[in-house]
Amino acid sequence: MSGIEQIRPIVWTIAGSDSGGGAGIQADLLTMHDLGVHGCSAITANTAQNTLGVPAINVVADGVLQSQLDALSADLKPSAIKIGLLANVAQVRLVANFLRELESRGEAVPVVYDPVAVATSGAQLTEDSTGAAVMNELLPLCDLITPNSIELAWLAGGVADCAESILAAARKIRDGYKSALLVTGGHGEIEPGTTADLLCTGSGERIREHWLIGKKIETRDTHGTGCTLSSAIAALLALGYPLKDACVVANAYVRRGLRLGNTGHIGTGAGPVGHCGWPTELRDYPEVLIAGSERARSYGIFDISAAASFAAEFAQPDTTRLGLYPVVDTVEWIEKLAEEGVRTLQLRIKHARDDLREQIERAVAIGRRYDLRLFINDHWQLAIECGAYGVHLGQEDLHTADLKAIQAAGLKLGISTHGFFELLYAWQYRPSYLAIGAIYATTTKDMSGQLQGPQKLALMAALLPDYPLVAIGGINLQRAPDVTASGVGSIAVVTAITDAPDYRQAVAQLRAVIE
Ligand SMILES: Cc1ncc(COP(=O)(O)OP(=O)(O)O)c(N)n1
Ligand SMILES: Cc1ncsc1CCOP(=O)(O)O
Ligand SMILES: [Mg+2]
């Protein structure tokens, strides 16, 4: 491989073959191809299957499985691995050993394990005794496991058939393992007419639980949804998506496949889910439940203190296209840029200063004089007290700021997001605008690990074509055309203006591109 650049990342699926072409290896390879990675397979069992059931599970010999893994690792190095059906304890051990070897050679990659124990048809696919081996040997090597609620109960012991018992079973697994958990909810309805997946990430004190909720899609063709979901996540991880983003995009990919299906039914039973390309429509994406919302009561995560300050539906700006949006740290800059005809501005004061209130009061007064859309970063109480046009908050501020008070005062609200998950999360607040960043590397703020790039920006912007969106981070005159091509109506910049040799010229040139 040396010297040859791989254009498409490689993803392996270690799973069972479905002779009916709807689930297992077949669904995995369709998904991987659809999402732009090259799929390789190591087959654990040749199941005899159709859309009606599973007449036989023909488990491959250990040597057959091992030889496939060895052949792949000699040539086709993976960027992520998806594991599906492991038919017995010996296969669990073999795969676990193989993963440990990869780790010891410094070749570890993200591993997504879909513990395929029961097919959608109800057929049992793995020996009962594999549960303990999975827990002891495989889970410690996985980054994410994606059980359905039946498989969750199988792994954790007990039942997992309502929000509280699913949360309890998930916590039991999370207590012992580093792996994140995505419990798929296609088999039950916590709220009538909806499906809900539980995403658990982090560990110890920082464990995070999110319900991803979608309208139930009425279709007969649900075969292979679990395989499709887990291989989509592996593909997205290989493409460099962070775990939570990979989970929500994969959820949308499956929901799109359920909604659009195949052209005509395949088979006489539960046909395969469709594989219909990148999910470009918001309606396929899940809602991310917010713990302060009333709805969270049904899902066992209602937080009374979060509810005290939770609000949604903020005042909308007069336009969805906010144009050039300089972010500056002094009142003097606000005035100079207002003079140049800039309409959207942010005062972002990061250093403690005694005259903060006075600065904000002065900025607000200039804002009124020039009819600016002036947002105050961070200092939401002072923004309310001084009667500012709006406030800009980061994700972490959403848990501490009094959003009810901001809304009641009639202030506009902008929220920072970094990727698909945060975009969907912030969307639940229906803010006045959503900012997406950092698009490029920037020296203004440490955004390492949060770079989006213009292509991903365009994929996110496509979800909210009529909503005020702002792109920020490392944007300058040269990059601005690629950013505006994504469809966002506003570009926020710091250094492209404040460090420009001639800020007036920079404003004029940037406005010419953006507005
Ligand atoms: C328009 C816009 N987008 C994003 C940010 C970043 O805000 P935040 O996440 O609150 O981080 P700090 O700016 O406070 O460091 C922004 N200020 N403006
Ligand atoms: C505040 C902030 N939030 C995300 S990136 C960024 C800095 C943008 O600065 P610049 O335009 O100089 O890259
Ligand atoms: Mg802030």
XYZ file of all heavy atoms in Angstrom, residues 346 348 350 376-379 392-397 416 445, ligand 3:
127
model
N -21.350 41.877 16.528
C -21.332 41.255 17.862
C -20.243 41.884 18.714
O -19.115 42.061 18.247
C -21.071 39.751 17.737
C -21.101 39.020 19.078
C -20.765 37.540 18.943
O -19.947 37.005 19.677
N -21.387 36.866 17.980
N -17.932 41.017 21.597
C -17.432 39.799 22.260
C -16.259 40.196 23.147
O -15.107 40.252 22.713
C -16.998 38.788 21.196
C -16.400 37.492 21.730
C -16.115 36.546 20.575
N -15.534 35.282 20.986
C -14.223 35.036 21.020
N -13.348 35.967 20.681
N -13.789 33.849 21.386
N -13.946 39.278 26.109
C -13.550 38.047 26.787
C -12.752 38.307 28.061
O -12.589 37.408 28.871
C -12.737 37.166 25.820
C -13.624 36.421 24.847
C -14.397 35.341 25.585
C -15.478 34.730 24.747
N -16.324 33.786 25.505
N -24.800 40.633 21.885
C -23.806 40.644 22.959
C -23.435 39.195 23.249
O -24.320 38.368 23.516
C -24.380 41.290 24.252
C -24.971 42.684 23.964
C -23.321 41.347 25.356
C -23.992 43.712 23.448
N -22.146 38.902 23.191
C -21.697 37.534 23.458
C -21.607 37.296 24.967
O -21.146 38.172 25.719
C -20.325 37.323 22.808
C -19.861 35.874 22.907
O -20.665 34.954 22.917
N -18.572 35.691 23.001
N -22.030 36.162 25.428
C -21.883 35.670 26.811
C -22.741 36.410 27.844
O -23.437 35.787 28.629
C -20.424 35.731 27.303
C -19.481 34.854 26.501
O -19.964 33.979 25.774
O -18.255 35.064 26.604
N -22.642 37.745 27.897
C -23.171 38.506 29.046
C -24.667 38.771 28.890
O -25.104 39.907 28.665
C -22.387 39.818 29.201
C -20.915 39.587 29.314
N -20.342 39.045 30.442
C -19.897 39.767 28.427
C -19.037 38.914 30.257
N -18.742 39.350 29.040
N -25.638 36.298 21.996
C -25.083 35.095 21.371
C -24.550 34.174 22.466
O -23.738 34.593 23.300
C -23.952 35.418 20.385
C -23.449 34.162 19.752
N -23.942 33.681 18.567
C -22.559 33.232 20.190
C -23.385 32.522 18.287
N -22.533 32.226 19.260
N -24.990 32.915 22.459
C -24.564 31.964 23.483
C -23.935 30.720 22.863
O -24.311 30.307 21.761
C -25.766 31.522 24.334
C -26.441 32.612 25.169
C -27.635 32.039 25.917
C -25.464 33.264 26.156
N -23.000 30.137 23.622
C -22.400 28.860 23.217
C -23.229 27.713 23.764
O -24.137 27.918 24.572
N -22.920 26.480 23.338
C -23.689 25.304 23.778
C -23.697 25.169 25.301
O -24.732 24.891 25.891
C -23.065 24.038 23.175
C -23.223 23.939 21.684
C -24.503 23.230 21.271
O -24.902 22.268 21.896
N -25.129 23.719 20.220
N -22.508 25.369 25.896
C -22.444 25.156 27.347
C -23.257 26.219 28.096
O -23.803 25.960 29.169
C -20.986 25.090 27.850
C -20.057 26.243 27.540
C -19.712 26.436 26.043
O -19.966 25.564 25.199
O -19.189 27.517 25.745
N -23.393 27.419 27.493
C -24.176 28.487 28.141
C -25.660 28.128 28.213
O -26.402 28.668 29.038
C -24.065 29.804 27.353
C -22.620 30.224 27.137
O -21.818 30.029 28.059
O -22.307 30.739 26.045
N -24.237 28.975 19.097
C -23.105 28.314 18.412
C -23.362 26.827 18.283
O -23.848 26.198 19.233
C -21.827 28.412 19.246
O -21.440 29.715 19.432
N -9.344 31.521 18.274
C -9.873 30.707 19.369
C -9.474 29.269 19.113
O -9.388 28.857 17.950
C -11.394 30.853 19.345
C -12.122 30.125 20.416
C -13.622 30.338 20.327
C -14.289 29.413 21.327
N -15.727 29.514 21.324
Mg -19.760 32.835 24.256
